[in-house]
Amino acid sequence: MISEIFDTLNKTENCKYVDKNTLNDKKFNGYNTIISVDTEISFDSKLIEIKLYICFGEKLEINLPKIFIDKLSYEPLKYVPHINSDLSICIIDESLNFFYSADELPSIVLDFVSKAKAIIRDSENEEYSKQEFTREFQAYWSISYSKDDKCNQNGLALIDHTIDNEVHAILFTGGIGNYRYLIYNDRNLFSKFSDYLRKREIAYIPIPIFQVNYNKEVPPFEITYEDSKQYLGEDSFPDIKKQFNKFKGNDFLIIFKNIQNEYYGWKYSHFEKINGFRNKSNWEKLTSPIIKEKKVDRIKFSEITPNRLTKRTDGVERNLSLSINVIGLGSVGSNLMQFLSKLNFKQINLVDPDILSIENIYRYNYGLNFIHEYKTKVVQYNLLNKNPFLEVNTFEKSIIDLLNNKPSFFSDNDYSFLITGNTRSELYILEYLQETNTDKPLFIIWVEPYMASGQIMYIEPKDIAKAKDLLLNYPHHILKSVENSDKIYLKEGSCQSGYYPYSESYLVLFLSACFPYIYDIIFRNSKNISHTISWYGDINFLNSLELVLKDNINESFTFKVIKNEF
């Protein structure tokens, strides 16, 4: 196939095979075959010669070839949109699912070469270049343009672009991945994020920040210390020299906002004392012969506002307004949280008095590193790790005790999930809601032993009396309790060691099958009615255990979901 590609290219271009060892560049090491193309393009009203390298990996049917421009060809042209720091040319978006068959490669490569030449040729159009640099400012800022130049992608941004508040900065002294800095202008958002940092025991300190003006479409690419001085003028802020000289070293940030309202920044890593010279001020160091050609350390800030992350995930912004209560975080509740955590809630309240013990670790959703922690705290930790802006409140007490101190707990929130697996507490809650005239709906969720079935009751406030009667005489179970009493409740020895067995795999099948119904109630239906959702387990498995099932249950019920109105 390579020879066919070569022959196709050689009809219109001057091509030859290249030994990658002669190129003396590590970036070519991962390629099996390299073809050089010596060609001409029209640039600045004249023909110029350029050299391209077409590089092929091992699996031609999987890996598209990569095209690079030779360094000597690029130097007089730079900077060119869509050419990266390694001089590879961005011809297609590699995130796209670009499907092709291997026999199409000759025409594909020919097209790629044509597009590579067009990218270089079009860069002479100043308006086009500005447009492309503006559109992909972030990509060009993030590129390293020389051995001494680097861009650290270690900044986070909590910036609300709808407000014009002063920007502040902090430096993480603890660990939060590779991130070192955070800038923010919304104190409310920062308060939520700092609360997350406190819970994670991640330390930070505030640091000074200077915001300068930058109104150009083209990014500044490499910036030397001397170059940076042009951005630090009196137009940016008054008394710049005095402020700039207050600091001992690189313990401050310079930031700017481009015309697309994106924030970027840099710091100075070479403000240490210069040996052999009198101690200079920071302002003097910018043009000192010793370090003036040093490159500033550029910083890219990744925006982590809830709106941006939601849109980056869903494709649209969401109005986060709903709040839920989850009462009971055992194996069923903790696994349900894996589903609920993917939804767009503003607030989640967690209620459970128990700590995580070793016995149920196989069907609990979190692992050994959380043993002897409160279940509420384990779930909160994982929720905030996923979304630090989510409001997660925990109550390490029974729901009965909680209601004594917080009687409006149910009415304060939009939906509640009661997952205690205890009929007495479920009836107590239903009676409480009836007495207090609740106006908020309730889910009750439980499972039968061996996951013979999983049951969900969705209860509208007006149907609480019906729900109590239904709960006491529930018709949708499939195990006969009396006949199976010795088989469905197991003990390990002492009188307090009993348990109902069921596997996590069947539990996840139940929750995943029924979760669309929960989603539909919360996010799609405006006129919900009370009903039950029954999921039936593996009937063959239950029969193999010689469990006694209700008369109408047969193999056709396996993994069936049935919805019934009250």
Side-chain angles (χ1 to χ4, degrees):
M1 178 55 65
I2 293 291
S3 61
E4 291 179 38
I5 294 171
F6 185 93
D7 291 342
T8 300
L9 279 173
N10 208 33
K11 291 177 182 177
T12 55
E13 305 287 359
N14 182 18
C15 304
K16 65 179 180 179
Y17 290 102
V18 178
D19 182 352
K20 62 185 176 185
N21 294 319
T22 64
L23 297 176
N24 195 29
D25 194 326
K26 292 181 180 179
K27 71 189 178 192
F28 295 114
N29 289 348
Y31 297 101
N32 287 17
T33 305
I34 299 176
I35 297 174
S36 69
V37 175
D38 291 299
T39 188
E40 293 180 330
I41 62 170
S42 173
F43 193 90
D44 197 19
S45 301
K46 60 180 180 289
L47 285 176
I48 63 170
E49 295 182 354
I50 61 169
K51 184 188 291 290
L52 302 175
Y53 297 109
I54 308 171
C55 303
F56 300 88
E58 183 178 356
K59 301 288 186 181
L60 297 180
E61 69 274 19
I62 298 175
N63 299 311
L64 283 166
K66 196 91 168 177
I67 298 183
F68 296 81
I69 184 172
D70 181 69
K71 185 176 182 180
L72 293 178
S73 298
Y74 181 67
E75 281 299 319
L77 304 174
K78 71 177 187 183
Y79 297 95
V80 176
H82 309 299
I83 294 184
N84 300 314
S85 58
D86 63 354
L87 302 186
S88 62
I89 304 176
C90 293
I91 296 169
I92 65 166
D93 186 341
E94 295 182 3
S95 298
L96 294 174
N97 185 14
F98 185 88
F99 181 78
Y100 63 96
S101 58
D103 58 5
E104 296 176 295
L105 276 173
S107 60
I108 289 173
V109 173
L110 190 63
D111 181 57
F112 278 14
V113 171
S114 175
K115 287 178 178 176
K117 292 166 66 174
I119 285 171
I120 299 167
R121 183 176 59 248
D122 291 346
S123 67
E124 72 170 330
N125 184 320
E126 187 175 342
E127 286 305 312
Y128 165 80
S129 290
K130 283 184 179 180
Q131 176 184 318
E132 292 302 293
F133 281 130
T134 299
R135 190 168 61 87
E136 299 191 15
F137 192 103
Q138 185 178 111
Y140 298 113
W141 175 261
S142 302
I143 291 174
S144 296
Y145 292 96
S146 65
K147 182 179 179 181
D148 298 325
D149 178 53
K150 62 181 178 180
C151 180
N152 300 295
Q153 301 192 33
N154 60 358
L156 296 173
L158 272 178
I159 300 294
D160 183 344
H161 298 289
T162 65
I163 58 178
D164 191 27
N165 292 350
E166 181 182 359
V167 179
H168 301 271
I170 62 171
L171 167 70
F172 298 114
T173 57
I176 184 165
N178 293 323
Y179 292 103
R180 294 278 292 154
Y181 305 98
L182 179 137
I183 59 173
Y184 66 94
N185 71 339
D186 185 328
R187 291 193 177 275
N188 291 329
L189 271 181
F190 179 69
S191 177
K192 290 183 178 180
F193 191 75
S194 62
D195 191 47
Y196 161 76
L197 296 176
R198 179 181 56 79
K199 288 183 172 71
R200 285 283 312 276
E201 298 183 347
I202 297 172
Y204 64 88
I205 57 173
I207 59 172
I209 189 170
F210 296 126
Q211 183 167 343
V212 301
N213 293 323
Y214 190 85
N215 298 317
K216 300 177 182 177
E217 296 89 346
V218 179
F221 305 114
E222 301 172 276
I223 307 174
T224 67
Y225 278 40
E226 185 174 32
D227 291 338
S228 73
K229 199 169 183 177
Q230 66 180 294
Y231 304 113
L232 303 174
E234 296 291 342
D235 291 341
S236 295
F237 38 81
D239 302 322
I240 174 61
K241 291 183 182 180
K242 183 179 179 180
Q243 295 183 58
F244 202 71
N245 289 333
K246 287 194 301 185
F247 307 105
K248 296 178 181 179
N250 63 332
D251 51 354
F252 59 94
L253 291 181
I254 308 294
I255 66 166
F256 68 90
K257 181 170 62 174
N258 70 358
I259 60 177
Q260 292 180 296
N261 279 337
E262 299 167 333
Y263 278 88
Y264 300 88
W266 69 80
K267 66 186 183 73
Y268 301 93
S269 294
H270 299 278
F271 271 6
E272 69 276 4
K273 184 176 180 181
I274 306 173
N275 293 329
F277 289 81
R278 69 176 179 84
N279 191 27
K280 293 178 177 289
S281 70
N282 289 341
W283 193 259
E284 291 174 313
K285 287 176 183 177
L286 290 177
T287 52
S288 165
I290 305 298
I291 62 172
K292 70 176 185 178
E293 295 304 320
K294 296 283 187 184
K295 304 293 195 306
V296 301
D297 291 348
R298 289 178 290 119
I299 298 171
K300 173 181 175 290
F301 294 100
S302 299
E303 186 176 330
I304 58 166
T305 57
N307 285 343
R308 188 256 174 172
L309 294 180
T310 300
K311 187 172 182 180
R312 183 67 174 80
T313 305
D314 296 356
V316 295
E317 292 185 7
R318 300 284 188 185
N319 180 20
L320 306 181
S321 59
L322 293 178
S323 60
I324 62 169
N325 303 321
V326 182
I327 302 126
L329 295 168
S331 51
V332 179
S334 67
N335 279 280
L336 177 66
M337 286 308 307
Q338 281 297 98
F339 294 88
L340 293 175
S341 66
K342 307 299 188 290
L343 303 183
N344 296 301
F345 293 116
K346 179 181 179 181
Q347 179 187 101
I348 298 178
N349 303 299
L350 306 171
V351 182
D352 197 307
D354 294 335
I355 62 171
L356 179 59
S357 59
I358 195 71
E359 288 80 9
N360 290 329
I361 199 70
Y362 271 16
R363 65 188 189 198
Y364 193 75
N365 198 48
Y366 306 105
L368 287 169
N369 51 322
F370 293 111
I371 292 296
H372 295 147
E373 299 282 346
Y374 278 109
K375 293 177 180 179
T376 52
K377 297 299 184 184
V378 176
V379 175
Q380 181 190 53
Y381 176 91
N382 284 277
L383 287 172
L384 292 179
N385 235 10
K386 181 81 172 177
N387 178 5
F389 305 102
L390 178 64
E391 184 178 343
V392 183
N393 302 308
T394 69
F395 304 91
E396 291 72 41
K397 57 181 66 178
S398 74
I399 184 60
I400 313 301
D401 293 336
L402 177 60
L403 290 174
N404 289 333
N405 299 321
K406 197 175 177 62
S408 63
F409 180 69
F410 285 98
S411 60
D412 286 345
N413 299 286
D414 298 292
Y415 293 90
S416 294
F417 293 83
L418 185 59
I419 324 170
T420 62
N422 184 301
T423 306
R424 297 189 309 276
S425 65
E426 291 164 353
L427 286 171
Y428 178 91
I429 295 303
L430 289 174
E431 289 173 359
Y432 178 88
L433 295 176
Q434 189 175 28
E435 291 172 2
T436 56
N437 294 314
T438 185
D439 60 347
K440 300 298 172 60
L442 174 72
F443 292 88
I444 300 179
I445 303 176
W446 73 96
V447 300
E448 286 191 275
Y450 292 106
M451 285 304 303
S453 75
Q455 305 292 338
I456 299 176
M457 289 178 64
Y458 173 70
I459 307 162
E460 283 284 313
K462 63 183 178 59
D463 295 318
I464 289 177
K466 287 183 184 178
K468 288 194 299 181
D469 292 338
L470 183 61
L471 195 61
L472 286 170
N473 301 283
Y474 198 74
H476 307 305
H477 294 140
I478 66 171
L479 292 179
K480 291 186 175 182
S481 57
V482 175
E483 291 87 337
N484 295 306
S485 58
D486 293 335
K487 300 175 183 177
I488 60 176
Y489 187 70
L490 306 182
K491 289 188 177 183
E492 290 185 318
S494 69
C495 63
Q496 298 297 324
S497 63
Y499 64 97
Y500 291 106
Y502 53 88
S503 73
E504 186 180 37
S505 57
Y506 284 136
L507 176 59
V508 172
L509 286 174
F510 156 56
L511 293 173
S512 58
C514 294
F515 195 70
Y517 294 89
I518 295 175
Y519 180 89
D520 193 59
I521 290 168
I522 295 176
F523 289 100
R524 297 188 66 210
N525 282 340
S526 57
K527 295 181 180 180
N528 292 311
I529 59 173
S530 300
H531 60 272
T532 64
I533 303 163
S534 298
W535 173 91
Y536 297 103
D538 187 341
I539 305 303
N540 280 340
F541 171 64
L542 300 175
N543 287 332
S544 72
L545 298 174
E546 298 183 351
L547 295 170
V548 182
L549 309 183
K550 289 184 177 179
D551 295 338
N552 64 325
I553 300 299
N554 55 50
E555 190 178 333
S556 68
F557 277 76
T558 294
F559 302 150
K560 182 181 288 188
V561 178
I562 298 177
K563 180 179 176 180
N564 294 293
E565 295 182 14
F566 277 18

